[in-house]
Amino acid sequence: KKTLINLWFGFISSGIVVYSLKILISRPRPILNLLQENNYSFPSGHTTIMFTLLPIIWYEFPKNKFIRYSWFISSIVIAFSRVYLGVHFVSDILMGIVIGLIIGNCIIKLKNE
């Protein structure tokens, strides 16, 4: 139950941060893309959420390598698929990874205090 609460807290907090940054920075998406997206590009929301949840999953499932590595590989695939589909720049993805890891690690530190 506590794990689920931490995951939801990570999901919601990363969503708030991403939405706020998209409005604040207002970076347009790449011109050539395979998907039609209507909001701003920076940072990648999908990537930020996946990498926010990654440290939480890594912490909560220390003995389950399948879950840990499956989430890690899925996070990488999703991040690079956003560039492949043309809906994000590489910098959007890289900052999504950084922001997500910071948020996820902060949630773990808050849990341990």
Side-chain angles (χ1 to χ4, degrees):
K1 186 175 179 179
K2 290 180 182 181
T3 300
L4 188 59
I5 291 170
N6 288 334
L7 291 170
W8 270 109
F9 184 63
F11 181 82
I12 290 172
S13 59
S14 64
I16 291 169
V17 169
V18 166
Y19 182 75
S20 300
L21 286 172
K22 282 184 183 284
I23 291 172
L24 182 68
I25 296 170
S26 301
R27 181 180 191 182
R29 291 191 180 268
I31 304 242
L32 299 174
N33 54 44
L34 297 176
L35 296 176
Q36 184 62 33
E37 294 281 345
N38 296 327
N39 58 0
Y40 295 114
S41 177
F42 184 86
S44 168
H46 290 85
T47 303
T48 305
I49 289 169
M50 292 298 287
F51 279 90
T52 295
L53 300 181
L54 180 64
I56 299 168
I57 287 172
W58 209 264
Y59 177 81
E60 296 288 347
F61 299 99
K63 295 182 181 180
N64 193 329
K65 290 183 179 182
F66 177 76
I67 290 175
R68 293 170 86 181
Y69 288 107
S70 295
W71 195 271
F72 176 72
I73 291 168
S74 297
S75 298
I76 296 290
V77 169
I78 287 172
F80 287 104
S81 74
R82 305 304 289 166
V83 174
Y84 175 78
L85 293 171
V87 293
H88 286 289
F89 298 102
V90 173
S91 59
D92 302 339
I93 300 304
L94 294 176
M95 284 309 296
I97 291 170
V98 170
I99 293 167
L101 291 175
I102 290 170
I103 294 170
N105 284 307
C106 286
I107 290 170
I108 291 169
K109 287 184 183 182
L110 286 173
K111 178 186 176 186
N112 291 331
E113 288 184 0

